[in-house]
Amino acid sequence: MSDRASPLVVAVDGPAASGKGTISRRIAGRFQLAYLDTGLLYRAVGAKMLEAGLPLNDQEAAARMARGLEQPDFHRQDLRLPATARAASIIAQIPQVRQALLEYQRWFARNPLGGMRGAVLDGRDIGTVICPDATVKLFITASPEERARRRCAELAQGGNPADYATVLSDVIARDKRDRERASAPLRQADDAHLLDTTNLAIDEAVAKAAEILEPYLR
Ligand code: CDP
């Protein structure tokens, strides 16, 4: 149960295109919580590195970009492109980049916007590193094939259609990088609830997530 002296924190982690973004946004609306898509922070750094033509293994430059992020960087048109996702997962391996983004994420969790009751953060290391003391943690998965199918549909809807085989191999390569990196790798926290959405429509997945979270968020 939640300690009402401090804001509620819902930590949501999982691999690429597992449904965690949509689920987190809808859970936030339902329980009056602020929402932070932490992937956008990494995507913004990746997009700026690509735009500047800098090599993605330039640790100093990537850390400087991460420290210098500003509001307009989160409204760029290129954040959802596959090339940006790939770049994000490469710069996300750099410890100085992660360090630069950590304080903002923790601040957001502790200071929910607009007088909300708490916050939902989704990412890869929220339950393990950013908010290990979260009120409740979810780890959302689905098979790689189903995730690639969903990502293809999302890309097509956003006007950037992509080939299924390419998206599937991108998703698999990104998962591998995210799971195998030394700094804050993707993994299920010991105390996280597992939700496999492979065979669930989005409304069913949101309903399942709400059922798990409800006792903690009353
Ligand atoms: O939307 P999708 O699940 O495909 O990706 P995202 O959540 O926007 O994250 C893009 C990339 O940023 C991931 O592949 C990770 O490498 C990185 N990331 C991270 O390392 N830690 C986070 N908390 C969030 C994202």
Side-chain angles (χ1 to χ4, degrees):
M1 294 301 117
S2 62
D3 163 13
R4 285 306 161 77
S6 47
L8 299 166
V9 177
V10 181
V12 182
D13 292 301
S18 52
K20 62 190 186 316
T22 308
I23 292 171
S24 297
R25 192 170 300 109
R26 291 189 30 192
I27 286 295
R30 182 143 163 181
F31 292 99
Q32 289 122 51
L33 305 167
Y35 169 55
L36 180 64
D37 172 356
T38 68
L40 277 189
L41 306 173
Y42 294 89
R43 284 173 180 263
V45 174
K48 293 185 81 163
M49 292 291 284
L50 291 178
E51 183 179 56
L54 291 163
L56 297 171
N57 61 0
D58 184 338
Q59 306 203 354
E60 278 312 309
R64 209 168 41 243
M65 295 282 189
R67 286 191 294 267
L69 286 181
E70 292 176 343
Q71 207 53 39
D73 297 325
F74 306 119
H75 300 286
R76 299 173 59 108
Q77 295 301 309
D78 54 0
L79 293 181
R80 296 283 168 204
L81 296 179
T84 306
R86 206 174 307 128
S89 77
I90 294 171
I91 59 82
Q93 295 171 297
I94 303 172
Q96 301 95 300
V97 167
R98 306 200 70 83
Q99 187 57 37
L101 301 177
L102 179 139
E103 279 312 318
Y104 174 69
Q105 296 174 75
R106 286 199 179 147
W107 175 87
F108 188 97
R110 278 195 297 261
N111 299 276
L113 302 174
M116 300 279 200
R117 306 164 63 218
V120 182
L121 282 78
D122 90 48
R124 301 291 185 288
D125 61 343
I126 308 302
T128 51
V129 174
I130 304 294
C131 301
D133 299 325
T135 315
V136 55
K137 302 176 186 178
L138 280 182
F139 192 83
I140 302 186
T141 60
S143 70
E145 293 75 18
E146 175 59 19
R147 291 188 283 120
R149 201 189 57 69
R150 290 179 191 162
R151 184 50 44 95
C152 274
E154 232 172 75
L155 287 167
Q157 204 169 24
N160 299 297
D163 158 64
Y164 174 81
T166 310
V167 172
L168 178 61
S169 72
D170 270 6
V171 158
I172 291 172
R174 196 141 64 85
D175 284 356
K176 182 169 158 61
R177 258 198 304 278
D178 287 348
R179 287 184 192 278
E180 294 181 359
R181 70 181 173 224
S183 182
L186 168 66
R187 90 176 165 77
Q188 181 179 349
D190 296 336
D191 52 351
H193 298 263
L194 179 64
L195 176 56
D196 186 329
T197 67
T198 306
N199 297 308
L200 300 178
I202 189 62
D203 286 348
E204 294 171 324
V206 172
K208 277 262 186 229
E211 192 183 306
I212 295 169
L213 298 177
E214 217 265 331
Y216 299 88
L217 303 180
R218 277 198 191 116

